[in-house]
Amino acid sequence: MSEHDYAAVLKAVKALPFPVGRRLLIDILRGDESNDSVRKNRLDRLDCFGSMAYQEDELSALIDRMFTNGLLRYSSVNGNKYVRVIEISEKGEALNPRLKKASPVFSPSQVTDDDRRIFSAVGPFLDSLNDEQKKAVVSPAGRIVCIAGAGSGKTAVLARRVQFLAAYRSVPPSSILAITFTRKARQEMVSRIGGIPGVRVETFNSFCEKVLNDNHAAIYGRKVRMMGYSDRIRLFRHALGSLQLPVDKAVDCYFTDSQRKDKAPEQLASMLLADCFAVRDYFRSRSSPIAEFYKEAGPAHRNAARLVYDVCTRIGSYMEAEGMRDYSDQLVDAIRFYMGNPQAIPRFAHVLVDEFQDVNAAQVGLLDLLAPDNLFCVGDPRQSIFGWRGSDIGFILGFPAKYPGSEVIFLRRNYRSSRPIVQLVNESIRVLGMPDLESEGPHEKNIRLMGFDSEEEESDFIAQRIMASSVERGDIFVIARTNRQLSEISRLFAQKGIPHIVKTDEHDALPGRDQVMLATIHAIKGLEAKMVFVAGCTPGNFPCRGSERPVVDFVAYYDYDKDEEERRLFYVALSRAKEALYVTYSTKSPTSFISDGMLKLFDVYARPQPYRLSGSSSQLLLRLKEWRRDQCAEFGMAAFMVLHDRTLQEIAERRPSSERELQSIPGIGPQKMLKYGEDILRIVNYG
C-alpha cells in the first residue's frame, strides 16, 4: 500500500453522494455488490466502485492508518453521537505534501582505485574497516552524508574520521567540531576519538550553553538563570491556579480513561507537566511561537489541547517575567545571538554530526550559521523515529539537493545480526527505497512469528522462553510499543521471579548481567542484545492508534507522516536482535507492517486456532472459567497463572475422565495436576 492508495480512498469519499460508515466504504472500494445499500442507491455505477483490489482486512488497516495520519475523521449524524460517518479532514482536503514520502535521490559514490591507493598509503590505521567505511573516513569531499544502516559502525567511522583529519590531514584539532545528541553519546565519542587535545566534542545543547554563558550580558542584558525541576512544578501549578483549575481536574481533562488506567494521580500529574513543557520544546525546536494548535485538534482532543495551550502560554509569560530559561531556549537564544552578531560565530574547518536523521529545524539552522568549510553528517533515515519531538527526516533525505555535488556514502555491512535477521529487517523497510544491508554473520535461522489467544498467553510464553534460555539475562530484550504493555509484562516477570529492569522514554537505565531489559522502542534505540522479543505486534500497536501521551496526538500528528514513522519504529525494534528474534502478537492477525516477503523468512508463522465447542462443551467451559475466577480471587493470581483459556477449551472439548487423560492435555503439568486435578475432574464429571 502507498500514498496512491490514500488518494484513492479520499477520492472515493469525495465521490459518494452521501456520508458513509466504514463497512459501506470498504464494500464500495472492494466492489461488493451484495451490500443492500450498494444495490438500493446504485453505488455500483460510481467510478470508485471496485477501484481497490485488496482484501477486507487490508482495506480496514489502510483506513485505520488514514485516521492515524489525520486524513480522515468521524463525525456524527444529526447530533447522534452513536451514528458515525467518515469525512475527510482539513489535512486530507489539502492533500498535505508532507504525507508524500520523500523519495531518496541518493546516488551513492563507489570505491575507486584512487580511494584504494589512499587506503594503502594510510597503512594499518584503517585495517579494521571495510572499504565503504574507509572511504567515509578519508574522502576529501567538502559535503558528505554517510547513510549508515543499523549495526554498520557509524559512530566508529565518525570518530576515526576525526582522528584521520588531525593525524593525516594536519587539520588543527581546534578547528574540528563533532556534534551528537546526548551526554552519553558525547562521552562515547570522546572515548573513541582518544582524547586528541583541542578537538571539540559537544551535544547541540552543550555547545549552545557555552555560547550563552560566554555572552550572557549581550544576549539577555539582565540576570537570567536556567530553571530547575522545582521551578517547573511551581510554574505549572501557578498556571493551573490562574486558570482556576485544580491539578486533579486538569488531569481528568487531559487524559482519557484508558490513559489513566493503572497510573497513580501523582504520576499522571507529572506526565501532564512534562507534556506541557514538551509542547513548548516542540515549537522552540521550530524557532516559532506556540501556535493555537488546539484549533486543529479533533473533537476528542480539543479540550485537552486547549488546556495545554493555555498552560504553555502562561508558563512562557512567567519564565520571561522571572528571568528563566530551559534547555529548549539554549538553541533558540544562541541562534538569535549569532544572527545579530555574525562576527561572534566561531569558524570550524570541519563539523561532523552524528545521528543526522534526528535533527530538527533549529539544529539545522545552527549548522547553517556555523557554515563550516567541510560538513560530514552520518545517520540512517530508516531509524528516524522522533518526528513527534520535532525531528524531520527530510533533512537527511534532502541533503544531496541542499548541497549539489555532495558525496553520498552508504555503509551497508551490518556487524550486529545474523543473516536471517538482516534479511528480515531489509524486508521490513523496503518501502523507503534504501539499498539492502549486508551481513557476514552466522546463517543460523532463529526468527519466529508467533500468535496467541490473549496478551496473557503471549506474556507467559515470553517468560517461559526466557526462563528456559541459557542466554545471560542481561543480553535479552523484551521490546514493546507502549509503556502499558511493559507494565503488564513486568508484573508477570515479578511474579515468576525473573530479574528485570524497565527502560522507558524518560527512564535511562541499563541492565546488569542478570537482568532482562524491558523497554519501549524509543528507549532502546542504539542498543542491541543476543535475544530479542518484540511483543504486541498487533494492528493496534503498529501503527499505534492512540498514544499514552495525548500531546503526541494533538500537536505533532499533523506535522509528519506518523504511519511511516511507525513503520520505522518497527524496523528499529527488529534490528536490535543479534542472534534470536521472536515477534509475537495476540490478535486475529499481526500488524500489516509484516509483509508477505517477511512471512516467508520466519521460522514459525502460526497461531492457535480457536475451538468451536458444542453446546454442552460451551457450558462446561463456562463452569471451568467460573472455577478459575474463584481461584484467582482466593489466591490473588492472574487467570493465566491458573490455567490458560486454551487449556480450559481443550478440557471442555475432550472431557477427560481420569487423571491420565487430564495429564495428556497441554498445559496440565505435574504441578497443575497436583494443585487443580481433583477440582477439574470433579467439574468435568459431576458438574
PDB file of all heavy atoms in Angstrom, residues 38 486 544 611 662 684:
ATOM      1  N   VAL A  38     -25.521  -0.659  -1.420  1.00  0.00           N
ATOM      2  CA  VAL A  38     -24.945  -0.515  -2.764  1.00  0.00           C
ATOM      3  C   VAL A  38     -26.035  -0.678  -3.814  1.00  0.00           C
ATOM      4  O   VAL A  38     -26.179   0.134  -4.737  1.00  0.00           O
ATOM      5  CB  VAL A  38     -23.818  -1.539  -2.985  1.00  0.00           C
ATOM      6  CG1 VAL A  38     -23.402  -1.568  -4.460  1.00  0.00           C
ATOM      7  CG2 VAL A  38     -22.619  -1.198  -2.113  1.00  0.00           C
ATOM      8  N   LEU A 486       4.594  -2.859  28.768  1.00  0.00           N
ATOM      9  CA  LEU A 486       5.739  -3.157  29.623  1.00  0.00           C
ATOM     10  C   LEU A 486       5.306  -3.379  31.063  1.00  0.00           C
ATOM     11  O   LEU A 486       5.837  -4.254  31.753  1.00  0.00           O
ATOM     12  CB  LEU A 486       6.752  -2.010  29.563  1.00  0.00           C
ATOM     13  CG  LEU A 486       7.468  -1.782  28.233  1.00  0.00           C
ATOM     14  CD1 LEU A 486       8.473  -0.657  28.376  1.00  0.00           C
ATOM     15  CD2 LEU A 486       8.169  -3.046  27.752  1.00  0.00           C
ATOM     16  N   CYS A 544       0.566   2.570  15.959  1.00  0.00           N
ATOM     17  CA  CYS A 544      -0.110   2.804  17.231  1.00  0.00           C
ATOM     18  C   CYS A 544      -1.236   3.803  17.009  1.00  0.00           C
ATOM     19  O   CYS A 544      -0.996   4.932  16.580  1.00  0.00           O
ATOM     20  CB  CYS A 544       0.887   3.341  18.253  1.00  0.00           C
ATOM     21  SG  CYS A 544       0.244   3.388  19.930  1.00  0.00           S
ATOM     22  N   TYR A 611     -11.201 -23.076  19.237  1.00  0.00           N
ATOM     23  CA  TYR A 611     -12.071 -24.247  19.248  1.00  0.00           C
ATOM     24  C   TYR A 611     -13.512 -23.818  18.934  1.00  0.00           C
ATOM     25  O   TYR A 611     -13.964 -22.749  19.341  1.00  0.00           O
ATOM     26  CB  TYR A 611     -12.063 -24.911  20.629  1.00  0.00           C
ATOM     27  CG  TYR A 611     -10.870 -25.788  20.854  1.00  0.00           C
ATOM     28  CD1 TYR A 611      -9.717 -25.275  21.452  1.00  0.00           C
ATOM     29  CD2 TYR A 611     -10.874 -27.115  20.472  1.00  0.00           C
ATOM     30  CE1 TYR A 611      -8.618 -26.080  21.666  1.00  0.00           C
ATOM     31  CE2 TYR A 611      -9.776 -27.927  20.685  1.00  0.00           C
ATOM     32  CZ  TYR A 611      -8.661 -27.408  21.286  1.00  0.00           C
ATOM     33  OH  TYR A 611      -7.572 -28.196  21.501  1.00  0.00           O
ATOM     34  N   LEU A 662      -6.402 -36.399  31.826  1.00  0.00           N
ATOM     35  CA  LEU A 662      -6.221 -34.973  32.109  1.00  0.00           C
ATOM     36  C   LEU A 662      -4.769 -34.558  31.905  1.00  0.00           C
ATOM     37  O   LEU A 662      -4.481 -33.496  31.343  1.00  0.00           O
ATOM     38  CB  LEU A 662      -6.673 -34.663  33.534  1.00  0.00           C
ATOM     39  CG  LEU A 662      -6.558 -33.189  33.980  1.00  0.00           C
ATOM     40  CD1 LEU A 662      -7.346 -32.267  33.052  1.00  0.00           C
ATOM     41  CD2 LEU A 662      -7.036 -33.030  35.422  1.00  0.00           C
ATOM     42  N   VAL A 684     -15.686 -31.660  35.533  1.00  0.00           N
ATOM     43  CA  VAL A 684     -15.952 -32.316  34.249  1.00  0.00           C
ATOM     44  C   VAL A 684     -16.957 -33.453  34.401  1.00  0.00           C
ATOM     45  O   VAL A 684     -17.896 -33.597  33.599  1.00  0.00           O
ATOM     46  CB  VAL A 684     -14.637 -32.844  33.636  1.00  0.00           C
ATOM     47  CG1 VAL A 684     -14.930 -33.721  32.417  1.00  0.00           C
ATOM     48  CG2 VAL A 684     -13.725 -31.687  33.240  1.00  0.00           C
TER      49      VAL A 684
END
